[in-house]
Amino acid sequence: MNKLRVIPASLIFLFSAGAAMAEDYNPSWYIGGSIHAAETDETFGAGNRGYGVGLRVGKPLSENWDAQINTNYTRASDNGRRYQQNSLGVDVLYLFSRSTVRPYLVMGVAANRDRSNGGIKSGDSTAPAASAGVGVQFALNDQWSAQAEWRKVHGYLHGNDFGFSQASNSHLSFGLNYAFDKPKATIKVASYTPPPPPEPVVVQAPPPPAPVAPPPPVYQKITLSATELFAFDSAVLNAPQPKLDDIAAALNANTQINQVVITGYADRIGSDKYNLNLSAKRANSVKTYLNNKGVDGQRLNAVGKGESNPVVVCNNKKRADLIACLEPNRRVEIEQFTVEQRVR
């Protein structure tokens, strides 16, 4: 069996190994070069194995899509008979991940110039072609990545010197890509630290003591930034959590505080259903943390409200800037936190 025909199976294996949740991507233009081995159409008469080089210019369009402009040169020879192909085309790549290992599918169209001086197919012609295949990119650092790819190229050679209608080649290529710009660093927004609750003050009335009505309870709303609590797109609490420890200590010190509402919020990135589920998971993570610190779970009520009640409105075009701008909307609020009112 031809070795080029078993390559796609090994590349497809990387789809399961590399597929992961999409990360922030670098929108920079990039340039790349490659070398490739080709299984050429046997009827060209120059053997069925060729080699070549390629050059590509690419641009990420979104978390999952890239576009590439490429040109390739392929040559095969056997006993004085030669075949060569020059191509110029456009490809679209669907990437399953933006992590270190990035498996993808590729489809493209091109204009191919085929030349052959032997075999059933001989002549000189320029004709359209379509291609499809699989590949994988490996991130080496912020700007360099390696790319391996297998694709099938199908040319439509009707109305030319060859006197036949179609030709089919397979390419296996390896190369490097260089991004012109580094990814922009995420801007951190300073989190709000609520002031400590006022300490109770006991006022002694002169004798005979006059009854003093207790002051009405004061409810506080404590807002915690999701960035200091969780990693992006995660409901697992970071460690340590000194602010949550202080809240747990205050609740344990005053067991009369009940019906404390813990509300999780998310930003608008992602679907409504996903954000609602994520905000509920984050609120329940805070509830579980306080419960593990000794606070009775029946005193706590965790709810998720998704992307409702935003604090800020952002219209940034770049994803990294948009995530940074929307950080105040990713938060956890603790409401109905009853404290004693200071008497003046």
Side-chain angles (χ1 to χ4, degrees):
M1 179 181 295
N2 194 299
K3 293 183 179 179
L4 288 181
R5 295 176 181 173
V6 301
I7 292 298
S10 60
L11 291 178
I12 292 173
F13 172 76
L14 292 172
F15 281 69
S16 59
M21 184 174 296
E23 299 179 350
D24 294 343
Y25 68 98
N26 182 4
S28 170
W29 284 88
Y30 59 87
I31 189 170
S34 65
I35 58 175
H36 61 263
E39 178 188 353
T40 61
D41 197 313
E42 295 180 355
T43 54
F44 281 116
N48 64 350
R49 180 62 57 83
Y51 301 92
V53 294
L55 180 67
R56 57 178 165 264
V57 177
K59 178 72 168 66
L61 305 178
S62 69
E63 286 183 351
N64 298 104
W65 291 96
D66 274 20
Q68 292 182 355
I69 300 173
N70 63 78
T71 180
N72 291 280
Y73 172 77
T74 304
R75 180 175 178 177
S77 61
D78 183 30
N79 295 323
R81 291 173 295 183
R82 293 189 304 171
Y83 165 71
Q84 61 183 16
Q85 180 186 79
N86 297 82
S87 69
L88 177 64
V90 177
D91 295 333
V92 289
L93 282 65
Y94 179 80
L95 290 88
F96 292 84
S97 170
R98 288 287 182 180
S99 58
T100 301
V101 181
R102 308 165 187 166
Y104 65 85
L105 301 176
V106 60
M107 295 179 293
V109 294
N112 291 349
R113 184 167 184 82
D114 297 278
R115 297 186 181 95
S116 176
N117 68 350
I120 300 173
K121 303 177 181 180
S122 64
D124 187 339
S125 174
T126 299
S131 63
V134 296
V136 62
Q137 294 179 353
F138 299 88
L140 304 177
N141 54 39
D142 287 343
Q143 291 179 276
W144 285 96
S145 64
Q147 181 168 320
E149 180 181 287
W150 176 92
R151 71 166 68 196
K152 194 76 171 177
V153 182
H154 197 73
Y156 300 89
L157 307 179
H158 52 80
N160 52 67
D161 294 342
F162 287 104
F164 61 92
S165 60
Q166 298 181 4
S168 183
N169 297 337
S170 298
H171 289 189
L172 174 63
S173 64
F174 301 90
L176 291 175
N177 297 329
Y178 175 76
F180 294 105
D181 299 317
K182 290 185 176 181
K184 292 188 177 180
T186 303
I187 300 175
K188 299 285 186 180
V189 179
S191 61
Y192 168 72
T193 303
E199 297 180 0
V201 176
V202 179
V203 178
Q204 302 245 346
V212 179
V218 176
Y219 295 104
Q220 284 188 339
K221 179 173 74 173
I222 299 176
T223 301
L224 303 174
S225 168
T227 301
E228 63 183 339
L229 296 177
F230 310 97
F232 183 74
D233 199 30
S234 172
V236 179
L237 278 169
N238 298 326
Q241 289 295 334
K243 293 181 182 179
L244 292 181
D245 292 341
D246 292 342
I247 293 173
L251 290 172
N252 287 326
N254 189 347
T255 58
Q256 301 302 315
I257 301 175
N258 291 305
Q259 298 181 349
V260 177
V261 179
I262 304 170
T263 307
Y265 291 94
D267 59 27
R268 64 178 176 81
I269 300 175
S271 67
D272 294 347
K273 181 179 180 181
Y274 181 84
N275 289 334
L276 184 63
N277 184 49
L278 177 62
S279 64
K281 287 182 179 179
R282 287 180 167 176
N284 277 291
S285 293
V286 173
K287 177 181 176 180
T288 300
Y289 185 94
L290 297 177
N291 185 236
N292 291 338
K293 292 293 182 178
V295 182
D296 188 351
Q298 294 184 353
R299 300 166 61 192
L300 308 172
N301 182 26
V303 296
K305 294 190 177 180
E307 57 192 71
S308 63
N309 302 328
V311 178
V312 296
V313 176
C314 303
N315 296 305
N316 303 70
K317 300 298 182 183
K318 294 185 176 180
R319 177 178 172 81
D321 296 342
L322 180 61
I323 291 175
C325 180
L326 291 174
E327 183 175 358
N329 294 345
R330 303 188 294 273
R331 65 195 188 277
V332 175
E333 295 180 350
I334 301 179
E335 301 177 86
Q336 299 298 95
F337 196 116
T338 309
V339 298
E340 295 186 23
Q341 185 178 33
R342 185 184 298 274
V343 178
R344 299 184 180 275

